[in-house]
């Protein structure tokens, strides 16, 4: 019996060996198949990162596309974006960085496709596809209140969105004159019964109110801000002439002490007085016009440079490198990088006369201008004209000789125009939010001073 057992053992051993060999062969073939499949499909998109709010508020924002392996260099020609936007591309290891040169459109679906993506170690190609929807930042506006029996009214600063019906009162007080978004706060100037101004700082959603100190009693005009730099500015005139403030430019650096400072004027020992001023967006640079002379000041260094004799100060283009200066009918463009000034030719319809300086579009190739347009009744009415290489198009028409365009503001990404209109001399101001390209009125607001963060 022991002999039979010993004779059977080799057969069982050979069977186990054959099974083991078969298993090893199957595993090797599977691994080879997986390796071949991996080598044949190219890199894969593992994840993507983008701030959908920042891309509509700031230029030079990035989409980061992360691969499962190192990437060969990708050219800008391999990247397509719909809707189209100028961009730059950089490759760093397994990360592809796509930088958008301009602010993107609000609440818009974007599709990004990168073709011919390869690894430095093999030739197989793949395509990276990614879609995202941009944010829709808030819009603030001032809604005047109805006067009570004493003649005073609680005005309101309202937060809303371009599309929709949301309405959130973030601050209310009698005599609100103006406001500006600065950082995450709002600076609000109010006028008391005696005509003197007060300046407060609030944070939407919080009840605390900080009073910013002014150099005595006086009046505020031309309140403005550099949103991302948390800088605030205004023109101040003191009630007492001997105090030495007459249309003086006061600046606040709200990242430092909440106290004002001035820039040196043309007279030694005197602060800078201005007729017009504005921040160059997202910077600490200030453009000013004083007595017909245009200058640019660096508020951090407290130094300035004279640009030339120009009596009008317009808007800075969304790209932040061009500013419109001059006067209606004689507008010019100041290149903020080189300091060069060149003519700005604006096409207008027959019978139209410019009433203000034009506003440049996102890439500087188009403008919008408030104009008076002759009508068949022998009078004229105010309109807004968009001009580009194809000619001039009326994108907004007040439709009445009595209506007056109070102001026109362009959204930071140049997608919308906020056109404030008074229908008559004694009527309230109504602001229309207009699609800059189509002229479609997206929303109408009972207020003025539309401000985008």
């Amino acid at each position: 019996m022991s002999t039979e057992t010993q004779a059977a053992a080799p057969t069982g051993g050979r069977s186990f060996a054959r099974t083991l060999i078969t298993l090893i062969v199957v595993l090797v073939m599977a691994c080879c198949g997986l390796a071949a499949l991996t080598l044949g499909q190219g890199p894969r998109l593992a994840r993507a990162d983008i701030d959908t709010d920042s891309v509509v508020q700031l230029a030079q924002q990035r989409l980061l596309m992360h691969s499962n392996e190192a990437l060969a260099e990708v050219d800008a020609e391999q990247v397509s974006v719909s809707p189209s936007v100028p961009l730059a591309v950089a490759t760093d290891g397994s990360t592809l960085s796509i930088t958008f040169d301009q602010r993107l459109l609000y609440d818009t679906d974007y599709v990004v496709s990168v073709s011919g993506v390869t690894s430095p170690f093999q030739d197989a190609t793949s395509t990276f596809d990614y879609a995202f929807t941009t944010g829709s930042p808030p819009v603030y506006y001032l809604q005047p209140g109805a006067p009570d029996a004493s003649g005073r009214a609680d005005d309101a600063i309202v937060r809303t969105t371009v599309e929709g019906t949301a309405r959130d009162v973030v601050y209310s007080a009698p005599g609100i004159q103006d406001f500006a978004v600065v950082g995450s706060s709002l600076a609000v100037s109010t006028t008391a019964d005696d005509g003197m101004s007060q300046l407060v700082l609030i944070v939407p959603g919080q009840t605390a109110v900080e009073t910013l100190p002014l150099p005595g009693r006086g009046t505020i005009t031309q309140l403005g801000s550099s949103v991302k730099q948390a800088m605030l500015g205004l023109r101040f005139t003191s009630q007492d002439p001997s105090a030495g403030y007459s249309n003086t430019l006061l600046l606040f650096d709200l990242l430092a002490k909440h106290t004002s400072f001035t820039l040196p004027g043309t007279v030694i020992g005197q602060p800078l007085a201005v007729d017009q001023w504005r921040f160059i967006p997202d910077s600490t640079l200030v453009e000013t016009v004083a007595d017909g002379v245009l200058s640019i000041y660096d508020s951090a260094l407290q130094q300035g440079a004279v640009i030339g004799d120009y009596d009008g100060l317009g808007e800075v283009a969304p790209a932040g490198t061009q500013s419109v200066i001059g006067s209606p009918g004689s507008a010019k463009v100041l290149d903020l990088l080189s300091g060069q000034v060149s003519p700005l030719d604006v096409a207008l319809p027959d019978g139209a006369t410019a009433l203000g300086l034009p506003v440049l579009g996102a890439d500087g190739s188009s403008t919008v201008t408030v104009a008076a347009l002759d009508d068949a009744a022998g009078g004229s009415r105010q309109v807004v004209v968009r001009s580009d290489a194809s000619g001039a198009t009326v994108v907004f028409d007040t439709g009445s000789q009595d209506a007056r365009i109070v102001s026109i503001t362009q959204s930071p990404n140049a997608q919308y125009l906020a056109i404030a209109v008074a229908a008559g001399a004694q009527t309230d101001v109504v602001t229309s939010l207009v699609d800059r390209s189509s002229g479609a009125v997206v929303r109408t607001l009972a207020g003025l001073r539309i401000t985008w963060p």
Side-chain angles (χ1 to χ4, degrees):
M1 185 171 179
S2 61
T3 304
E4 293 176 357
T5 304
Q6 291 174 354
T11 303
R14 287 192 299 271
S15 176
F16 175 77
R18 284 195 299 272
T19 301
L20 180 61
I21 292 171
T22 301
L23 180 61
I24 291 173
V25 170
V26 170
L27 289 174
V28 169
M29 292 178 64
C31 290
C32 291
L34 289 173
L37 180 63
T38 300
L39 290 173
Q41 72 176 180
R44 296 192 303 274
L45 178 63
R47 77 176 198 276
D49 298 318
I50 188 170
D51 188 329
T52 55
D53 289 328
S54 293
V55 292
V56 299
Q57 295 175 302
L58 295 169
Q60 303 301 313
Q61 298 301 290
R62 297 185 302 169
L63 165 65
L64 300 179
M65 307 182 83
H66 304 281
S67 172
N68 68 323
E69 60 180 303
L71 298 175
E73 196 73 22
V74 174
D75 295 328
E77 291 75 15
Q78 295 172 244
V79 181
S80 65
V81 181
S82 179
S84 179
V85 61
L87 54 84
V89 177
T91 311
D92 182 11
S94 61
T95 300
L96 174 64
S97 175
I98 300 174
T99 301
F100 302 112
D101 293 343
Q102 299 174 359
R103 298 170 175 88
L104 303 189
L105 301 177
Y106 301 142
D107 194 23
T108 299
D109 295 328
Y110 279 84
V111 177
V112 179
S113 182
V114 186
S115 62
V117 181
T118 64
S119 164
F121 311 112
Q122 47 102 357
D123 295 331
T125 65
S126 60
T127 299
F128 286 0
D129 291 316
Y130 184 71
F132 63 93
T133 302
T134 56
S136 183
V139 176
Y140 296 90
Y141 67 96
L142 175 61
Q143 184 172 34
D148 57 20
S150 65
R152 297 288 283 172
D154 272 349
D155 304 316
I157 298 173
V158 181
R159 179 173 54 196
T160 186
T161 55
V162 172
E163 297 186 17
T165 58
R167 184 182 181 278
D168 179 23
V169 175
V170 297
Y171 184 72
S172 63
I176 295 180
Q177 178 188 16
D178 202 354
F179 73 95
V181 178
V182 52
S184 60
S185 305
L186 293 180
V188 184
S189 65
T190 59
T191 304
D193 291 333
D194 61 359
M196 297 297 101
S197 297
Q198 185 181 41
L199 184 64
V200 299
L201 192 67
I202 68 165
V203 178
Q206 299 183 15
T207 58
V209 177
E210 177 187 353
T211 299
L212 296 177
L214 297 172
R217 294 171 57 77
T219 56
I220 291 173
T221 55
Q222 296 185 18
L223 182 66
S225 66
S226 179
V227 178
K228 303 306 177 185
Q229 295 294 327
M231 294 284 294
L232 179 68
L234 55 92
R235 199 172 65 160
F236 182 75
T237 298
S238 55
Q239 183 185 33
D240 182 2
S242 64
Y245 293 92
S246 178
N247 295 325
T248 301
L249 179 60
L250 294 185
L251 299 173
F252 293 80
D253 183 353
L254 297 181
L255 294 177
K257 295 181 179 179
H258 289 194
T259 55
S260 65
F261 63 95
T262 62
L263 297 177
T266 55
V267 178
I268 297 177
Q270 295 295 316
L272 178 65
V274 297
D275 299 319
Q276 301 174 59
W277 81 277
R278 62 162 293 122
F279 280 112
I280 295 174
D282 303 328
S283 77
T284 58
L285 300 179
V286 178
E287 283 185 293
T288 68
V289 171
D291 296 325
V293 177
L294 172 67
S295 303
I296 294 182
Y297 285 82
D298 186 326
S299 62
L301 300 177
Q302 303 231 344
Q303 296 178 349
V306 173
I307 302 300
D309 295 333
Y310 301 100
D311 57 2
L313 188 60
E315 297 294 316
V316 176
T321 59
Q322 295 175 306
S323 175
V324 178
I325 59 177
S327 57
S330 182
K332 301 182 184 301
V333 173
L334 167 64
D335 187 310
L336 295 168
L337 300 179
S338 67
Q340 297 296 312
V341 176
S342 57
L344 177 58
D345 296 324
V346 176
L348 294 175
D350 292 340
T353 304
L355 298 178
L357 289 171
V359 179
L360 287 172
D363 59 1
S365 64
S366 66
T367 62
V368 290
T369 309
V370 177
L373 181 65
D374 295 340
D375 58 26
S380 66
R381 65 187 189 279
Q382 294 188 2
V383 298
V384 176
V385 179
R386 188 188 72 245
S387 305
D388 53 29
S390 63
T393 304
V394 174
V395 293
F396 184 83
D397 193 331
T398 59
S400 169
Q401 294 184 13
D402 297 327
R404 178 174 57 91
I405 296 178
V406 177
S407 65
I408 179 170
T409 305
Q410 183 172 246
S411 64
N413 65 354
Q415 184 177 359
Y416 296 106
L417 301 173
I419 305 171
V421 177
Q426 304 299 322
T427 58
D428 294 333
V429 174
V430 174
T431 299
S432 296
L433 300 181
V434 177
D435 185 292
R436 190 182 187 275
S437 298
S438 67
V441 177
V442 178
R443 192 174 179 191
T444 301
L445 303 172
L448 67 163
R449 303 193 187 285
I450 304 295
T451 303
W452 281 269

